[in-house]
Amino acid sequence: MSKIIRIEKPSVLPWYGAAAVWLVMGLAAPLYSLPVLIGTAGLSGVVFVAAKKICPPRVVEHEVGFHTGVDDVDQMLEAMEKELSALHTLNAALPDPQLSAAMQRMEQAGRSILEVVEQNPAKGKTARRFANYYLPDAVRVLSQYAALARQGVRGENAASVKAEVEQNAAQIATAFENQLDALYAAESMDLSADLEVLQNMMKGQGL
């Protein structure tokens, strides 16, 4: 979910112009003279202001994955986006319908978490454990499962690993959804409090 941000970079020409005034005046007159020093400083300032009007800032465009204004949150969201894309790719390659449905739930919950944190970077602290541990660990386990399935590995150990992943996928998806629900916990409490106040007001007015 890339974004284009625009950064204004002031032109260096005003500084060069002001410095040139000092250089020329230094060659033409003794700068140790107080009147010459004051005059040079004034002329340098005039040249600087005039050059700033003539030379507007340069606008530079940068493409970034996320731009919340909080660097570590942006990095976390970029890492989440990569993991979720990997999860989507894995899901497309696995034929098991139940496992696929669980992985779809994981991705949907994960992307919802990403969107919530992007809109409210303050929630990044709540989602950090999910982003740093739960999501990458789930992708790692499912990647190993996909490798076994792709390579056609057989045997008691391989079968046991595959069965364990298939049985626990739904629980992992539920854990992802619970993490999403936790991000809304504060809002839910505020909403409940507001509803209670509204109900009391209505009762007080006989409504």
Side-chain angles (χ1 to χ4, degrees):
M1 165 178 324
S2 61
K3 297 179 182 294
I4 301 295
I5 61 172
R6 294 173 174 81
I7 301 175
E8 287 191 353
K9 291 191 173 182
S11 173
V12 298
L13 293 179
W15 295 100
Y16 288 158
V21 170
W22 285 95
L23 179 62
V24 171
M25 292 299 292
L27 296 174
L31 289 178
Y32 54 80
S33 172
L34 183 58
V36 174
L37 185 62
I38 295 174
T40 302
L43 180 59
S44 175
V46 170
V47 170
F48 181 82
V49 173
K52 284 200 72 173
K53 293 182 179 179
I54 297 173
C55 306
R58 182 167 55 96
V59 178
V60 179
E61 292 186 347
H62 291 283
E63 184 175 0
V64 296
F66 297 90
H67 185 60
T68 64
V70 183
D71 290 342
D72 62 338
V73 172
D74 291 341
Q75 294 171 5
M76 183 184 75
L77 293 177
E78 289 175 6
M80 286 179 61
E81 175 64 35
K82 290 180 182 178
E83 296 289 358
L84 290 168
S85 296
L87 183 62
H88 182 83
T89 301
L90 285 171
N91 191 9
L94 293 173
D96 184 88
Q98 291 185 342
L99 180 58
S100 179
M103 292 173 68
Q104 188 172 358
R105 287 172 56 199
M106 294 179 206
E107 183 182 356
Q108 184 175 357
R111 293 199 178 279
S112 295
I113 291 171
L114 187 149
E115 291 175 3
V116 170
V117 175
E118 183 180 17
Q119 294 170 6
N120 189 350
K123 292 182 179 292
K125 184 177 181 180
T126 305
R128 194 163 296 279
R129 182 177 294 275
F130 169 82
N132 292 345
Y133 299 103
Y134 300 158
L135 176 58
D137 283 355
V139 173
R140 178 178 54 80
V141 168
L142 290 165
S143 296
Q144 293 174 348
Y145 174 94
L148 290 173
R150 184 171 56 251
Q151 295 167 5
V153 178
R154 296 184 179 181
E156 185 177 346
N157 290 334
S160 176
V161 170
K162 290 175 66 177
E164 187 174 359
V165 171
E166 292 168 359
Q167 291 171 4
N168 289 301
Q171 294 181 6
I172 296 173
T174 300
F176 279 30
E177 291 163 351
N178 289 340
Q179 179 64 55
L180 174 61
D181 186 60
L183 293 179
Y184 287 104
E187 285 81 352
S188 298
M189 292 176 63
D190 291 341
L191 179 58
S192 296
D194 291 341
L195 285 173
E196 185 176 355
V197 170
L198 180 59
Q199 289 173 349
N200 291 335
M201 288 175 58
M202 294 173 65
K203 289 179 181 179
Q205 296 178 5
L207 299 177

